[in-house]
Amino acid sequence: MGRKRVTLADVARLAGLSQTAASMILTGRPDTRLSAEAHARVHAAAAELGYRPNLAARALRTDKTRTIAFISDVVATTRFANGLIRGTLEAADKAGHVVLLLETGGEPAREVQAIEAALDRQVDGFIFAAMRAREVFVPSLPAANRVVMLNATSRKHPVSVLPDEFEAGRAAIRLLDSAGIREGLALIGHNQVVEEGYFRSETVSRRLAGIRAEMDQRGMSFLAEESCWNWEAAHGYELVKGLLDRRVPVEALLCLNDRLAFGAYQALGEAGLRIPRDMPVVSFDNDELAADLRPGLTTFALPHEQMGQEAVRLLLAPEVEPFEHLIAMTAVLRQSLANIGGAD
Amino acid sequence: MGRKRVTLADVARLAGLSQTAASMILTGRPDTRLSAEAHARVHAAAAELGYRPNLAARALRTDKTRTIAFISDVVATTRFANGLIRGTLEAADKAGHVVLLLETGGEPAREVQAIEAALDRQVDGFIFAAMRAREVFVPSLPAANRVVMLNATSRKHPVSVLPDEFEAGRAAIRLLDSAGIREGLALIGHNQVVEEGYFRSETVSRRLAGIRAEMDQRGMSFLAEESCWNWEAAHGYELVKGLLDRRVPVEALLCLNDRLAFGAYQALGEAGLRIPRDMPVVSFDNDELAADLRPGLTTFALPHEQMGQEAVRLLLAPEVEPFEHLIAMTAVLRQSLANIGGAD
DNA sequence: ATCATCTGCTAAATCCTTTTAGCAATTATG
DNA sequence: CATAATTGCTAAAAGGATTTAGCAGATGAT
């Protein structure tokens, strides 16, 4: 009940040594000359009393808090956040750190507030995460602070972690080709503006660039490129329905994300077309719903969890190359593409 | 560059007053007798220097950190987490607090670790969140700590925030009845064990209890109750396909969650049945996918965001009734149920 | 024997606030 | 007019760690 917190002084007293000695021993200083016996006594005393250092006091002295700030634009609307946060949490935990979660809604004013709140608490580093990979405005920070951009890029802060979209684009084409699909392929969700990288997603433009590069190399080309602004299920439905209504002789779909693919499934279902027999479908993201679709959707997974882990690793590493760190997107093979040995 | 952090002493010096005065003025103490002029000078000095208090120092002195710990079993697997976290973040932000996010995977050892990490950082309160509402084991905490259970219950900690599942169950039946559906109704996802509340979900058993209570009152009963253990899309598919194969003359489906409903859609689609004309569907959760289904799924929304907000409110309120605080689940009307003025 | 070096340890300062106790001058009270 | 109360403010302690500077005794070098 009324027992006060155990302090270092208590430990020192029980061990019969000075606070200095206790501190040095417990923090594991390297070149101290304290005896083995002193070490043993201090550790024993700490264990006996259940000593836990007061981190506020330590922070006051050392300016280190073993806390990292995760500042994201939106946790809310997107299920993508989960993986990034989970990976971050996991890696932080392993490194004995803890995560302060802050959300800005992408509004500069709230970004400034969030940064100040984090600075006030003397976090050891910042992870700025965007839910759609893009160039993010980051208000200026005292130079000493370490920053990693997660699923985002920034002029000021060159260390960033991104999915390897270009390579995924290439791999998707290779996968289709190796399944015997070289013609009659429709691209669902092409968007000129996105492709040029002006808006929304830095990386999705690379996804497309990878697709086109690999197709060029193999002498392939799209039979149709259906374009839309947003990439929701409803848009996928409309685009594919349009294709079918116009009787374009499409033989396979490459959807730019899983929600578009979901919409495509709906349109194909209504038209009585079977996947993959009548129409194989390949997509990107590995959204949760990809596994729930019937048949399961073959898709290239955004490696969010690994990205979160990598961000923490970079943040805490003694030194780091100031580059983009690309994480591979692996194919998740399901039944929407036939002739391929499938896994879950 | 090399400029050090501005401290309270700097502010006091510039204002020509003592640190004590500066502290009292900036923390807005009520009954101090400092002159209006002193107030003005201190505020001016603080503004001029861009003073921000060192929260570590303050925490050391006051034991308050304006930080709350959000300890959850799983952020990962479930999209439900988003709403809870977002609501928490929002309300915390409004109250000038910040959120430490910790994940335990439901493992007691990690729970203990997470609590210690949070205690070490002197958080002002704990929110324990479970992704499926249930009784959660919480390792013992120093009695002084405030605790709110979010989407969870605990013997030790009586303040909890839960969705009002019972009432939602009743409302679902009322909604079906008012749409003219009184017979031929099938329940998808019934599960004896869940209903008795032994496992997984404290609240889903109430959902069922509400359904049954309202049906009894109206003299209604189910034509079929299809039971399964897990509530994934695949199970919904199997159950509904089974019903159709057995030619049970079902006229409407009440699914216990949206993923089951998703599976039901798939089975109905394959059988060539139209929703809602041939088969209306009503469900629970308002999962993200409910809006993306065709037709849109009418469902009772889990009010996760409000729940998160309420949890913070309760945590920071001066005093609180040690009860369950139930948050209403509102109907989201879409096209899967006809004869009802539909929204969105 | 003398001086330097090493060994094993500690006293005290420091980080930055908040808070307690109290001082000196002024005003009110009997 | 003496005493009490009020006003407006400050010095110093406290909170719990880390770190700097340095002490006393033992050992080694010359």
Side-chain angles (χ1 to χ4, degrees):
Chain A
M1 276 302 161
R3 281 219 320 286
K4 310 186 77 171
R5 227 162 178 287
V6 175
T7 76
L8 187 61
D10 299 327
V11 173
R13 199 172 311 122
L14 179 60
L17 287 166
S18 71
Q19 238 189 88
T20 310
S23 171
M24 285 169 153
I25 287 169
L26 290 177
T27 52
R29 269 228 197 164
D31 51 351
T32 182
R33 298 180 306 244
L34 295 161
S35 67
E37 207 226 319
H39 280 256
R41 286 220 306 276
V42 167
H43 281 122
E48 181 177 338
L49 297 176
Y51 170 69
R52 308 222 91 216
N54 180 325
L55 293 194
R58 178 179 289 176
L60 180 58
R61 191 67 238 261
T62 62
D63 259 33
K64 300 247 165 299
T65 53
R66 302 188 83 73
T67 301
I68 74 193
F70 184 103
I71 302 191
S72 77
D73 50 359
V74 192
V75 177
T77 35
T78 152
R79 58 228 159 273
F80 296 154
N82 291 336
L84 295 175
I85 292 178
R86 178 163 40 143
T88 300
L89 240 36
E90 227 171 77
D93 185 48
K94 279 206 182 98
H97 283 242
V98 117
V99 175
L100 212 57
L101 185 62
L102 296 157
E103 191 176 347
T104 68
E107 301 162 30
R110 289 181 63 197
E111 273 188 13
V112 171
Q113 276 179 24
I115 289 176
E116 286 183 342
L119 283 175
D120 289 350
R121 287 168 181 80
Q122 330 229 74
V123 298
D124 295 344
F126 287 84
I127 293 177
F128 286 95
M131 290 319 152
R132 297 181 198 280
R134 56 172 228 274
E135 167 82 19
V136 164
F137 164 74
V138 178
S140 48
L141 273 170
N145 291 282
R146 304 200 62 171
V147 173
V148 171
M149 307 301 297
L150 177 56
N151 206 40
T153 58
S154 157
R155 236 29 68 81
K156 279 185 233 156
H157 304 287
V159 182
S160 61
V161 179
L162 298 168
D164 192 351
E165 298 272 9
F166 186 83
E167 192 42 43
R170 302 191 60 150
I173 297 303
R174 285 200 299 273
L175 180 65
L176 284 164
D177 194 352
S178 76
I181 298 162
R182 297 187 45 86
E183 295 180 1
L185 187 59
L187 177 65
I188 305 298
H190 158 58
N191 179 310
Q192 190 62 37
V193 178
V194 167
E195 189 154 7
E196 286 171 6
Y198 291 137
F199 176 65
R200 199 165 73 175
S201 176
E202 174 75 13
T203 60
V204 166
S205 63
R206 299 183 192 176
R207 185 178 289 183
L208 266 161
I211 290 169
R212 296 206 191 281
E214 188 71 24
M215 286 185 95
D216 282 355
Q217 198 172 315
R218 297 181 177 237
M220 294 167 64
S221 65
F222 285 115
L223 176 63
E225 300 189 8
E226 300 302 290
S227 161
C228 65
W229 185 249
N230 271 319
W231 289 3
E232 309 275 323
H235 306 100
Y237 174 83
E238 294 299 339
L239 292 182
V240 173
K241 185 162 159 47
L243 269 179
L244 299 177
D245 286 352
R246 293 184 342 254
R247 306 198 176 271
V248 182
V250 178
E251 289 169 29
L253 301 179
L254 178 56
C255 298
L256 280 175
N257 80 359
D258 291 347
R259 311 188 78 189
L260 288 168
F262 180 25
Y265 269 53
Q266 294 168 332
L268 295 173
E270 282 186 13
L273 294 171
R274 296 276 163 168
I275 305 168
R277 189 163 48 101
D278 305 324
M279 185 80 73
V281 178
V282 169
S283 171
F284 295 90
D285 285 5
N286 196 31
D287 215 318
E288 258 190 33
L289 77 100
D292 286 340
L293 288 170
R294 294 188 68 84
L297 178 60
T298 287
T299 184
F300 287 79
L302 284 169
H304 283 136
E305 199 164 336
Q306 288 169 63
M307 288 169 64
Q309 293 175 345
E310 178 72 359
V312 172
R313 199 185 67 70
L314 292 173
L315 195 70
L316 301 180
E319 49 188 304
V320 153
E321 291 144 1
F323 299 146
E324 290 179 353
H325 296 250
L326 299 181
I327 311 293
M329 297 175 66
T330 56
V332 180
L333 303 174
R334 298 197 184 90
Q335 292 75 44
S336 70
L337 184 66
N339 299 345
I340 291 286
D344 171 47
Chain B
M1 274 305 160
R3 281 220 319 286
K4 309 185 75 169
R5 227 163 179 287
V6 175
T7 77
L8 186 62
D10 299 326
V11 173
R13 200 173 311 124
L14 180 60
L17 286 165
S18 71
Q19 242 190 80
T20 308
S23 171
M24 285 170 152
I25 288 169
L26 289 178
T27 53
R29 268 232 197 160
D31 53 350
T32 182
R33 300 180 305 245
L34 295 161
S35 67
E37 207 225 320
H39 279 256
R41 285 219 308 277
V42 167
H43 280 122
E48 182 178 336
L49 298 177
Y51 170 70
R52 308 222 90 216
N54 180 324
L55 294 193
R58 177 179 289 176
L60 181 58
R61 190 69 235 259
T62 62
D63 259 34
K64 298 247 163 303
T65 53
R66 301 188 82 73
T67 301
I68 74 193
F70 185 103
I71 302 190
S72 77
D73 50 359
V74 191
V75 177
T77 34
T78 150
R79 57 228 160 275
F80 296 153
N82 291 336
L84 295 175
I85 292 178
R86 178 161 42 142
T88 300
L89 239 37
E90 227 171 76
D93 185 48
K94 278 204 185 101
H97 283 242
V98 117
V99 175
L100 212 56
L101 185 62
L102 296 157
E103 193 178 345
T104 68
E107 300 161 31
R110 290 182 63 196
E111 273 189 12
V112 171
Q113 275 179 26
I115 289 176
E116 287 184 342
L119 283 175
D120 289 349
R121 287 168 181 81
Q122 331 228 75
V123 297
D124 295 343
F126 287 84
I127 293 178
F128 285 94
M131 291 318 153
R132 296 181 198 280
R134 57 172 228 275
E135 167 82 16
V136 163
F137 164 74
V138 177
S140 48
L141 274 170
N145 290 283
R146 304 200 61 170
V147 173
V148 171
M149 307 301 297
L150 177 55
N151 206 39
T153 58
S154 158
R155 239 25 71 80
K156 278 186 235 157
H157 304 288
V159 182
S160 60
V161 179
L162 298 168
D164 192 351
E165 298 273 8
F166 186 84
E167 191 43 41
R170 302 190 61 147
I173 296 304
R174 285 200 299 272
L175 180 67
L176 285 163
D177 194 353
S178 76
I181 298 163
R182 297 188 43 86
E183 296 182 1
L185 186 59
L187 177 65
I188 306 298
H190 158 57
N191 180 310
Q192 190 61 39
V193 179
V194 166
E195 190 154 7
E196 286 172 5
Y198 290 138
F199 175 65
R200 198 163 75 177
S201 177
E202 175 75 14
T203 61
V204 165
S205 63
R206 300 183 192 175
R207 185 179 290 183
L208 267 162
I211 290 169
R212 297 207 190 280
E214 188 72 25
M215 286 184 94
D216 281 355
Q217 197 173 316
R218 296 179 179 241
M220 293 167 65
S221 65
F222 284 115
L223 175 64
E225 300 190 9
E226 300 301 291
S227 160
C228 65
W229 185 250
N230 270 320
W231 289 2
E232 310 275 323
H235 306 101
Y237 174 84
E238 294 299 339
L239 293 182
V240 173
K241 185 162 157 47
L243 269 179
L244 299 177
D245 285 351
R246 292 186 338 255
R247 310 200 174 271
V248 183
V250 178
E251 289 169 31
L253 300 179
L254 178 55
C255 298
L256 280 175
N257 80 358
D258 291 347
R259 312 189 76 189
L260 288 168
F262 181 25
Y265 269 54
Q266 294 169 332
L268 295 172
E270 281 185 14
L273 294 171
R274 295 276 163 171
I275 305 167
R277 190 163 47 100
D278 305 325
M279 185 79 73
V281 179
V282 169
S283 171
F284 295 90
D285 284 6
N286 196 30
D287 216 318
E288 258 190 33
L289 78 100
D292 286 339
L293 288 170
R294 296 187 67 85
L297 178 59
T298 288
T299 184
F300 287 79
L302 284 169
H304 283 136
E305 200 165 335
Q306 288 169 63
M307 288 168 64
Q309 293 176 345
E310 178 72 0
V312 172
R313 198 185 67 70
L314 292 174
L315 195 69
L316 300 180
E319 50 187 303
V320 152
E321 291 144 1
F323 300 147
E324 290 179 355
H325 295 249
L326 299 181
I327 311 292
M329 297 175 67
T330 56
V332 179
L333 303 174
R334 298 198 184 90
Q335 293 74 44
S336 70
L337 184 66
N339 298 343
I340 291 289
D344 175 46

